[in-house]
Amino acid sequence: MFKKYRILKWISLVLGSLIVVIVSFGFWFRSLIPPGDITIESTTIEDLPYLSDNVIPMRGKILAVVTSTDVMGNSGKGTGYELSELARAYYTFTANGFEVDIASPKGGKPPVVIDDEDMGAYDFAFLNDSIAQYKTSNTLKIEDCIGEPYKAIFFVGGKGAMFDFPNNEAIQHIVKDYYESNKVIGAVCHGPAALVNVTLSNGRPLLENKEVTGFTNREELLLISDARKIFPFLLQDKMMEKGAHFKEGAMYLEKIGHDGNLLTGQNPWSTWSVAEQMIIQLGHEPKHREITDVENAVKVLLAYKTHGKQEAKKMIGAMLLNGNKPVNRVLIAKHGIISAMQGKLGDFSNMMSLVAFAKKCESKRKDIALN
């Protein structure tokens, strides 16, 4: 009886200690995350110098294409186009002198996915932009865009693109025509699904021997374990099946593929780079833009992946203390959680250390500013 009591006592102590540790960690983790900026939700294009200052004269028009699909196959899971991928490319194009039309397979108002955690100033400005919102609520039907004099075409990501981009004949016609006319073609995340079934005039797949990227198998399967059952294919598999030289970067970090007039991005964090590379491919120097805190966090994470924690800490210090550049702590913390999900507890610990260091640097920068 006493032995049983001692076992219950030890179990209670262990469970109690575990609860204390978990709660303490939760409070510590929460202390590393900065409070949300409510004022950002009211951002307009007039608040963003990139868009409102030194306006570039009109250079032509670019067509952006979004999905019309609102459900992932038979899964019952909602989907649509990714707002951030459209907004950031849209403003890159307009800031650089291009008018942007928006099309979709069905036309009209397409479904949209808004990830609250990833929303930045440009994304909220897009929501507050009456012209942009009119265009997204009244998209052109893609087949009506055949033969129109666009300088380039950009395929926006969103998981719905996996269902209505690949077999759309109008999309295939436009992509083939643009590629063979040496017009610029861009696509990001799941957007490259528009390219997988395009056949050129020589009878060969467009993607054959092309250096490209797109949403990877690892990225897809980490968050949707049954993705192979839900989607008609996995994008990386299909691009490679068509003969592409697929370039896979670090999970959920920037990576672009550039092969002549064909530009592709691995995921949402590649949108800025793809859009600006499209401007370069069109023969123009991209307009100066202040790099966002998320982009700086991506640079830190890439430094960590490539050179380790100490190099990443040096970069954080250089950005926050020497360069007065913002670093998004939330994104680094999210990558720590992703590492934990993969069982990489060492990476999780290191990334939490980077978040804590970034917070310390921010506090030191504020103290310096006050003195």
Side-chain angles (χ1 to χ4, degrees), residues 28 32 329 351-361:
W28 175 78
L32 298 179
R329 281 187 263 150
M351 289 183 196
M352 292 303 101
S353 174
L354 292 177
V355 176
F357 182 71
K359 180 183 178 182
K360 182 179 178 180
C361 289

Side-chain angles (χ1 to χ4, degrees), residues 25-43:
F25 174 80
F27 278 110
W28 175 78
F29 181 83
R30 186 67 188 87
S31 73
L32 298 179
I33 306 301
D37 181 6
I38 299 177
T39 62
I40 196 174
E41 297 181 11
S42 60
T43 302

Side-chain angles (χ1 to χ4, degrees), residues 155-231:
F155 292 98
V156 180
K159 298 182 188 301
M162 296 285 285
F163 297 92
D164 60 0
F165 279 10
N167 297 315
N168 185 284
E169 292 183 0
I171 286 177
Q172 293 175 16
H173 179 96
I174 289 176
V175 172
K176 172 180 174 290
D177 177 62
Y178 276 40
Y179 184 79
E180 295 183 338
S181 301
N182 205 36
K183 289 187 176 182
V184 178
I185 301 167
V188 71
C189 199
H190 291 89
L195 313 175
V196 298
N197 289 329
V198 176
T199 301
L200 301 178
S201 296
N202 61 9
R204 307 304 303 171
L206 165 68
L207 290 176
E208 188 174 62
N209 295 320
K210 302 296 190 305
E211 291 196 359
V212 294
T213 191
F215 208 61
T216 68
N217 290 357
R218 290 197 306 145
E219 289 171 324
E220 199 78 86
L221 292 168
L222 180 65
L223 299 181
I224 305 180
S225 59
D226 57 346
R228 295 186 188 278
K229 297 179 180 178
I230 292 176
F231 296 110

Side-chain angles (χ1 to χ4, degrees), residues 22-332:
I22 292 173
V23 171
S24 299
F25 174 80
F27 278 110
W28 175 78
F29 181 83
R30 186 67 188 87
S31 73
L32 298 179
I33 306 301
D37 181 6
I38 299 177
T39 62
I40 196 174
E41 297 181 11
S42 60
T43 302
T44 66
I45 56 177
E46 288 76 19
D47 299 321
L48 301 169
Y50 179 57
L51 303 176
S52 59
D53 294 353
N54 305 315
V55 176
I56 293 175
M58 179 64 64
R59 289 168 165 166
K61 297 175 71 175
I62 292 175
L63 183 64
V65 185
V66 300
T67 181
S68 295
T69 300
D70 60 357
V71 178
M72 288 186 265
N74 298 319
S75 69
K77 298 178 180 179
T79 187
Y81 72 88
E82 291 284 344
L83 180 128
S84 64
E85 294 175 26
L86 174 60
R88 296 167 194 184
Y90 179 94
Y91 283 137
T92 299
F93 300 147
T94 56
N96 283 279
F98 292 92
E99 182 182 349
V100 182
D101 283 345
I102 303 173
S104 64
K106 293 182 179 179
K109 187 172 183 177
V112 58
V113 173
I114 299 177
D115 190 336
D116 293 336
E117 293 182 352
D118 292 332
M119 291 289 285
Y122 288 91
D123 309 311
F124 283 113
F126 190 81
L127 289 178
N128 296 324
D129 184 336
S130 60
I131 295 176
Q133 289 307 297
Y134 177 82
K135 290 181 177 181
T136 56
S137 296
N138 301 273
T139 64
L140 305 171
K141 196 170 184 180
I142 187 64
E143 63 187 44
D144 294 335
C145 299
I146 295 175
E148 292 299 311
Y150 295 105
K151 300 287 187 180
I153 190 167
F154 175 75
F155 292 98
V156 180
K159 298 182 188 301
M162 296 285 285
F163 297 92
D164 60 0
F165 279 10
N167 297 315
N168 185 284
E169 292 183 0
I171 286 177
Q172 293 175 16
H173 179 96
I174 289 176
V175 172
K176 172 180 174 290
D177 177 62
Y178 276 40
Y179 184 79
E180 295 183 338
S181 301
N182 205 36
K183 289 187 176 182
V184 178
I185 301 167
V188 71
C189 199
H190 291 89
L195 313 175
V196 298
N197 289 329
V198 176
T199 301
L200 301 178
S201 296
N202 61 9
R204 307 304 303 171
L206 165 68
L207 290 176
E208 188 174 62
N209 295 320
K210 302 296 190 305
E211 291 196 359
V212 294
T213 191
F215 208 61
T216 68
N217 290 357
R218 290 197 306 145
E219 289 171 324
E220 199 78 86
L221 292 168
L222 180 65
L223 299 181
I224 305 180
S225 59
D226 57 346
R228 295 186 188 278
K229 297 179 180 178
I230 292 176
F231 296 110
F233 53 81
L234 294 187
L235 185 56
Q236 179 178 353
D237 286 347
K238 178 62 74 172
M239 296 179 85
M240 293 175 68
E241 177 187 313
K242 294 295 182 174
H245 300 306
F246 192 90
K247 302 299 179 182
E248 180 176 0
M251 290 182 70
Y252 308 118
L253 293 177
E254 178 189 328
K255 178 70 176 180
I256 67 170
H258 188 175
D259 196 309
N261 59 327
L262 185 62
L263 284 301
T264 48
Q266 181 171 311
N267 47 44
W269 296 272
S270 310
T271 303
W272 288 114
S273 293
V274 169
E276 289 176 339
Q277 283 297 318
M278 289 177 66
I279 298 299
I280 293 172
Q281 193 67 27
L282 284 164
H284 305 287
E285 180 71 23
K287 183 179 180 180
H288 172 73
R289 175 178 61 84
E290 292 294 332
I291 302 301
T292 66
D293 61 341
V294 170
E295 291 174 280
N296 285 328
V298 167
K299 291 179 180 179
V300 168
L301 288 163
L302 284 171
Y304 171 76
K305 298 283 186 181
T306 306
H307 302 293
K309 185 173 76 171
Q310 292 307 314
E311 191 64 30
K313 288 183 70 174
K314 287 180 184 178
M315 183 174 286
I316 290 172
M319 286 179 173
L320 290 172
L321 299 176
N322 300 331
N324 198 29
K325 298 176 181 178
V327 176
N328 189 290
R329 281 187 263 150
V330 174
L331 184 61
I332 300 175

